[in-house]
Amino acid sequence: HEDKSVAILNAFILKITQWLGVQPALTRCQACEKPLAEVKEVEVYPQFQVGGWTCLGCTKPEDRRLNRPLLSKTLILDAYHSMLHPIRKIEWQASPQEHFVLLDFLEQHLIYFVPGLDKAPLTTLKFLRSIQWPE
């Protein structure tokens, strides 16, 4: 069975963002407001500064040059379910590697919305990056 540690951590962080009132907007493109289900591509572009994503058609060229990892629609759905359901009842679909991409997104999201977090990164996140995870 696949290790779900990172998915559980992401779910916990997403719940913290809800409690703080800075949860990401996961259901619609932040530019055209197209629902995730109507986005034809399998990936979307993260937008830390607005706490959401844009479909690839709405992603500005200057954003594409930043070379940020894309978020799969499956991963966005995992994140959305993590905010809606108790952690023990979530059935994650995305891989652990995809969840590391979400972890990076959530860390950047929190750094943007929580003043001072960039000066003192979360020790847990540094610890998780030090672990050699199976591919």
Side-chain angles (χ1 to χ4, degrees):
H1 97 94
E2 285 191 17
D3 184 4
K4 297 293 181 186
S5 301
V6 177
I8 292 168
L9 176 63
N10 285 341
F12 183 72
I13 292 171
L14 283 159
K15 294 209 181 286
I16 289 172
T17 65
Q18 285 180 298
W19 297 328
L20 291 172
V22 296
Q23 68 269 16
L26 300 174
T27 59
R28 297 183 178 278
C29 172
Q30 295 299 299
C32 69
E33 297 191 9
K34 186 183 294 184
L36 184 65
E38 293 178 18
V39 172
K40 292 181 178 137
E41 299 87 8
V42 296
E43 296 177 313
V44 294
Y45 195 83
Q47 296 289 331
F48 309 119
Q49 66 279 15
V50 294
W53 54 268
T54 53
C55 60
L56 296 181
C58 291
T59 303
K60 298 174 186 170
E62 58 269 20
D63 285 340
R64 290 180 191 259
R65 285 192 290 271
L66 296 174
N67 291 325
R68 292 182 182 150
L70 299 177
L71 305 170
S72 73
K73 287 171 48 175
T74 303
L75 185 60
I76 295 290
L77 288 172
D78 277 4
Y80 185 65
H81 288 289
S82 295
M83 290 195 305
L84 291 179
H85 303 291
I87 292 173
R88 69 180 173 279
K89 294 194 176 194
I90 301 166
E91 293 185 25
W92 289 283
Q93 303 300 313
S95 71
Q97 290 74 25
E98 288 177 285
H99 274 277
F100 269 105
V101 173
L102 180 59
L103 180 61
D104 286 335
F105 170 81
L106 292 172
E107 183 178 19
Q108 293 302 314
H109 176 75
L110 284 172
I111 286 170
Y112 188 83
F113 284 98
V114 180
L117 191 61
D118 58 331
K119 292 174 181 51
L122 298 173
T123 307
T124 305
L125 299 178
K126 287 195 305 188
F127 169 73
L128 277 172
R129 285 187 180 79
S130 70
I131 298 173
Q132 296 298 314
W133 296 91
E135 293 295 322

